Amino acid sequence: MAIGITELEHCTLATIRLHQPCSAYAVRQVFARSSTPEWSGSTGAIYPVIKRLLRRGLIEVEPQPDDPRGRRDLRVTPPGEQAVRVWIIDLEPWAAKATPDPIRTRVSFLDQLASDDERIVFLKEAEELTETMLEELRRTVEAVRAVHAAEYLAGRGAIHQLEARLKWLREVIACYGGAAVVNG
Amino acid sequence: MAIGITELEHCTLATIRLHQPCSAYAVRQVFARSSTPEWSGSTGAIYPVIKRLLRRGLIEVEPQPDDPRGRRDLRVTPPGEQAVRVWIIDLEPWAAKATPDPIRTRVSFLDQLASDDERIVFLKEAEELTETMLEELRRTVEAVRAVHAAEYLAGRGAIHQLEARLKWLREVIACYGGAAVVNG
DNA sequence: TCCATCATGTAAACAGTTACATGATTGC
DNA sequence: GCAATCATGTAACTGTTTACATGATGGA
């Protein structure tokens, strides 16, 4: 059992499985266009990951006529498919923790701002940015609705998360007397 | 203007400000005991960060009689306080994105499991783990309620996030016919 | 013809973790 | 006396990003 196989490696494996046969370049695009900022899909990350997955026999290069651009189509092997299943099923407890949120981090230091006015300015900005992200997310998620059920469901999860943040931010704004500033 | 100052550096600065005068060790404990898994508070991270903050003049060592254990009490300077305020106020758009969630990632690859039964097993496990984390979180957040208002509010944000995930997971379970398995 | 995109890959930098190393203090 | 905790710090490792490097294809 290969120890120390990372989230990125598992995620790359599952992504190849989903689009196979596909190139490393295609996997990069998927990460780069993802709505969450977990991985950039940088070449310096993906190509070494592909190399490791090949070495472990979890993926293989599809035999085919050489592409003039040097493209190599990849495919997940049966052990690779098994590795994906195990990764999903053997959910480790840490994975269920609340995820770090840069806005929440800042809120926890809110009393280091100079005044309630400053706090409200920050909170309103956070609210507006979250609203914008939510609108954009709704559009992109709706676009995959008909294409891919599981990806749509995951997108719904992200929407729930942003909606929860918005609800919470409004509670926090109320706490710091947001109404007074808005109506005054 | 110092470029490339990280979230961890800002977070360390704000934490020192909150507990000052305090040692690097105390800062480590705060990170280590945090309910979100963003940073471990490892020595290899904190001590170099402290060194950089000192070099930039954002913190200083409190002059005092030498502690036999070599303890050095730290304090945030006025420029350091300003840096914290700017960090909070100048909220960059990326910070409002939906945060990566390992459970959501797995859900997006759910059709790579072998059957609906397997999917339900995973989803129920995710639900249960999230419930456990939520209970634990509620306890720890309630404990800081009277002690520190802003930290309590941030904790409420984490609770909202886990509640949203739970609600979403139940929707997903319904999608994959969870009721059929439970009642059948 | 030129630019955007497709397609590969490496080298250096960077940020953080783990493991190691040292030593004092406190409580049992 | 011994273990847990307090307290500092470094070295090696890991997993990313950024920047660099090369070249083909397709469309304006």
Side-chain angles (χ1 to χ4, degrees):
Chain A
M1 189 71 69
I3 207 84
I5 175 158
T6 64
E7 286 284 298
L8 175 59
E9 283 171 329
H10 276 121
C11 213
T12 301
L13 193 57
T15 301
I16 293 171
R17 174 71 233 270
L18 195 60
H19 297 97
Q20 68 186 6
C22 70
S23 62
Y25 183 82
V27 176
R28 265 173 22 82
Q29 302 306 326
V30 172
F31 288 127
R33 287 164 191 163
S34 158
S35 49
T36 54
E38 190 156 19
W39 298 294
S40 73
S42 58
T43 55
I46 298 300
Y47 289 101
V49 162
I50 297 288
K51 215 183 258 180
R52 288 197 288 272
L53 294 176
L54 281 167
R55 200 169 49 220
R56 286 172 184 156
L58 301 177
I59 57 171
E60 59 192 6
V61 177
E62 178 125 303
Q64 64 181 313
D66 272 330
D67 185 283
R69 296 192 213 182
R71 171 172 165 183
R72 303 202 305 159
D73 270 338
L74 307 167
R75 189 174 277 279
V76 174
T77 62
E81 286 177 3
Q82 186 55 21
V84 171
R85 281 197 291 270
V86 170
W87 171 60
I88 296 173
I89 294 281
D90 283 9
L91 186 61
E92 292 178 77
W94 64 261
K97 280 198 164 191
T99 65
D101 182 329
I103 290 180
R104 214 170 58 219
T105 303
R106 283 159 178 78
V107 165
S108 75
F109 297 118
L110 216 48
D111 28 313
Q112 297 188 35
L113 292 185
S115 65
D116 271 3
D117 261 25
E118 236 179 53
R119 283 182 266 276
I120 294 295
V121 165
F122 160 75
L123 290 165
K124 290 280 181 189
E125 174 72 6
E127 188 192 15
E128 206 185 298
L129 282 174
T130 303
E131 274 167 355
T132 307
M133 289 295 173
L134 185 52
E135 276 170 45
E136 199 189 306
L137 187 58
R138 278 195 221 274
R139 275 195 301 275
T140 57
V141 169
E142 213 49 50
V144 296
R145 182 167 203 169
V147 185
H148 186 177
E151 210 181 305
Y152 170 72
L153 286 175
R156 289 290 313 159
I159 288 171
H160 271 79
Q161 194 198 70
L162 288 192
E163 282 173 346
R165 182 159 72 202
L166 222 40
K167 195 177 141 195
W168 163 68
L169 276 172
R170 279 157 192 165
E171 277 177 28
V172 177
I173 287 169
C175 261
Y176 282 102
V181 171
V182 167
N183 300 332
Chain B
M1 190 70 69
I3 208 79
I5 176 159
T6 65
E7 287 283 298
L8 175 59
E9 283 171 327
H10 276 121
C11 215
T12 301
L13 193 57
T15 301
I16 293 172
R17 176 68 234 271
L18 196 59
H19 297 97
Q20 67 186 5
C22 69
S23 63
Y25 184 82
V27 176
R28 263 171 28 78
Q29 301 306 327
V30 172
F31 287 127
R33 286 164 192 166
S34 159
S35 49
T36 53
E38 191 158 19
W39 298 293
S40 73
S42 57
T43 54
I46 298 301
Y47 289 100
V49 162
I50 297 287
K51 215 183 257 182
R52 288 197 288 272
L53 294 175
L54 281 168
R55 200 170 49 222
R56 286 173 184 155
L58 301 177
I59 57 171
E60 59 191 6
V61 177
E62 179 126 301
Q64 65 182 314
D66 271 329
D67 185 282
R69 297 193 213 182
R71 170 169 165 186
R72 304 202 304 160
D73 271 338
L74 307 167
R75 189 174 277 279
V76 174
T77 62
E81 287 178 2
Q82 184 57 21
V84 172
R85 281 196 291 272
V86 169
W87 171 61
I88 296 173
I89 293 281
D90 282 8
L91 185 61
E92 291 179 78
W94 64 261
K97 280 197 164 191
T99 65
D101 182 330
I103 290 182
R104 213 170 60 219
T105 302
R106 282 159 178 80
V107 165
S108 75
F109 297 118
L110 216 48
D111 27 314
Q112 296 188 34
L113 291 185
S115 65
D116 271 3
D117 261 25
E118 236 178 52
R119 282 182 267 276
I120 294 296
V121 165
F122 160 75
L123 289 166
K124 290 278 180 191
E125 174 72 6
E127 189 192 14
E128 208 185 297
L129 281 175
T130 303
E131 274 166 355
T132 307
M133 289 295 172
L134 186 52
E135 275 168 47
E136 198 189 307
L137 188 58
R138 278 194 222 275
R139 275 194 301 275
T140 58
V141 169
E142 213 49 48
V144 297
R145 182 167 202 169
V147 185
H148 186 177
E151 212 181 304
Y152 170 73
L153 286 175
R156 290 288 315 157
I159 289 172
H160 272 79
Q161 194 197 70
L162 288 193
E163 282 173 345
R165 182 158 72 201
L166 222 40
K167 194 177 141 194
W168 163 70
L169 277 173
R170 279 156 192 167
E171 277 177 28
V172 177
I173 288 168
C175 260
Y176 282 100
V181 171
V182 168
N183 299 332

